[in-house]
Amino acid sequence: MGFIAACGVKQDQAAENQGVAAPDQVKAAQEERTIKHKMGETKVPADPKNIGALQPFIMDHLLALGVKPGSGVMFDQKWPAFLADDLKETKVIGNDANPNLEAILAAGPDLIIGQPFQEKAYDGLSKIAPTIILDTNAKDWRSTFLEVGEITGKTKEARSVLEAFDKKASEARKTLQESIGNETVMFLRVTDKELRYYGIKNYKILYQDLGLQPPKEFVTDESKTFQAISMEKLPEINPDHILLLVQSEEKLNELKGSSLWQNMTAVKKNQVHSVDYDLWLQGWGPIAYSKLIDETLQFLARK
């Protein structure tokens, strides 16, 4: 046995001297892939087993590919509600704005996936495990999802997920057109300081994929997420339906007590639909958007 081992060592040394990869080196090379990303090029495991996700939407993408992240960051000390059941065994490594390097190290990831928020921490993260920074600022969710598929070695699966999603969206679009036609749909957020009227940037899923009709003065500039509006502006917009995200009950009560609100078409027809923060404002991926389609049909499709 000692002789065989010695021969193996000599073969490896000879191969190295001749510029030929030794068996162990070949195996290691086969088990790694080089990924180009925002911060350069990084070698990642061919089949990562313990991925650290530094943004909740990355966990959406991973779960859609059948990959459970080993660790991840939370929103406000909790998992996004629509992912919570699938993340019960996922270790917490901080919040989305401030991942904890010590907690990440303790979680022992073999791959870390982050987004531009983590650029400043890239060197420290890379010392823990191979780290990929997604260039989400320059891409829509579909191309980012395909990038996550490439990183995890699941490009084929990612394409299949997108095909199924697009089919679902197309069918939902047809149902909504038959149900409400060109009736307008507004996304309105009530905060403690103001009313926010959201445009195309956050809701392409509604106005492009599902083909819903936007109301007047809709924000089509993709560099602008929303416009703050006064209560007096609402009657001018006067949508047929309102998707309403409430973060201030006090402001909502003020709104409901106004005749301006009470005389709006959506209010008089009982077509104001309450939505939740996690899914409708933080969701960005195939699982979130699939659930969003389901809820939109529930709200708008007439039986």
Side-chain angles (χ1 to χ4, degrees):
M1 291 296 292
F3 173 76
I4 294 173
C7 287
V9 170
K10 289 179 181 179
Q11 287 173 349
D12 288 354
Q13 290 173 341
E16 184 177 346
N17 291 337
Q18 294 176 19
V20 179
D24 286 347
Q25 294 173 317
V26 172
K27 183 178 179 182
Q30 291 173 340
E31 292 176 350
E32 291 182 334
R33 289 173 293 107
T34 299
I35 300 294
K36 292 182 179 180
H37 61 106
K38 187 172 177 61
M39 303 300 290
E41 294 186 355
T42 299
K43 289 183 178 181
V44 304
D47 185 22
K49 302 297 184 183
N50 183 11
I51 299 176
L54 303 188
Q55 240 290 330
F57 83 78
I58 298 171
M59 293 183 281
D60 178 319
H61 290 214
L62 291 171
L63 290 168
L65 293 169
V67 178
K68 286 203 173 186
S71 56
V73 294
M74 289 182 160
F75 283 136
D76 299 325
Q77 307 305 312
K78 61 175 183 162
W79 298 125
F82 65 96
L83 297 176
D85 287 345
D86 292 316
L87 297 175
K88 291 177 180 177
E89 298 177 2
T90 300
K91 296 178 181 177
V92 180
I93 51 175
N95 61 56
D96 62 310
N98 186 29
N100 185 319
L101 289 179
E102 290 184 3
I104 296 170
L105 178 62
D110 55 3
L111 173 64
I112 298 169
I113 305 177
Q115 66 159 352
F117 289 160
Q118 286 87 38
E119 283 185 45
K120 292 181 180 179
Y122 179 74
D123 289 342
L125 292 167
S126 296
K127 291 175 182 177
I128 297 172
T131 299
I132 302 293
I133 301 296
L134 303 171
D135 189 10
T136 54
N137 289 334
K139 299 177 179 178
D140 62 22
W141 75 269
R142 284 177 172 82
S143 54
T144 299
F145 179 59
L146 287 173
E147 186 177 358
V148 174
E150 179 190 7
I151 292 165
T152 55
K154 293 184 176 292
T155 299
K156 182 178 179 181
E157 290 88 339
R159 288 176 179 156
S160 295
V161 169
L162 288 180
E163 286 176 8
F165 176 85
D166 287 337
K167 181 179 179 182
K168 178 175 182 174
S170 178
E171 292 172 351
R173 179 177 182 142
K174 182 179 178 181
T175 298
L176 290 166
Q177 180 61 38
E178 292 171 350
S179 295
I180 65 172
N182 291 324
E183 293 179 17
T184 57
V185 181
M186 177 187 199
F187 191 96
L188 181 65
R189 180 181 178 187
V190 180
T191 73
D192 58 347
K193 295 181 180 179
E194 61 191 5
L195 302 178
R196 296 182 178 180
Y197 176 17
Y198 278 75
I200 193 67
K201 181 178 180 180
N202 279 39
Y203 294 103
K204 289 180 181 178
I205 178 69
L206 295 178
Y207 301 106
Q208 291 185 359
D209 293 289
L210 298 182
L212 297 178
Q213 184 70 26
K216 294 178 181 178
E217 300 187 35
F218 185 66
V219 182
T220 57
D221 181 355
E222 292 193 31
S223 67
K224 187 176 181 180
T225 303
F226 63 86
Q227 60 175 316
I229 60 172
S230 65
M231 195 182 303
E232 289 71 23
K233 190 71 176 175
L234 284 171
E236 294 179 32
I237 300 169
N238 197 27
D240 296 297
H241 302 265
I242 297 175
L243 300 173
L244 187 66
L245 175 60
V246 177
Q247 291 181 278
S248 171
E249 291 296 330
E250 182 179 350
K251 191 75 173 178
L252 177 63
N253 290 334
E254 179 187 346
L255 190 62
K256 287 183 174 180
S258 167
S259 60
L260 296 172
W261 175 261
Q262 294 167 7
N263 288 320
M264 290 180 65
T265 298
V267 177
K268 290 193 290 187
K269 290 188 175 182
N270 196 30
Q271 293 177 167
V272 178
H273 315 283
S274 295
V275 302
D276 71 277
Y277 181 90
D278 283 5
L279 178 60
W280 285 80
L281 204 63
Q282 299 292 346
W284 200 70
I287 295 176
Y289 285 148
S290 181
K291 290 180 180 294
L292 191 148
I293 289 174
D294 292 339
E295 288 199 5
T296 301
L297 287 171
Q298 179 185 334
F299 294 147
L300 305 180
R302 294 179 179 133
K303 299 179 177 64

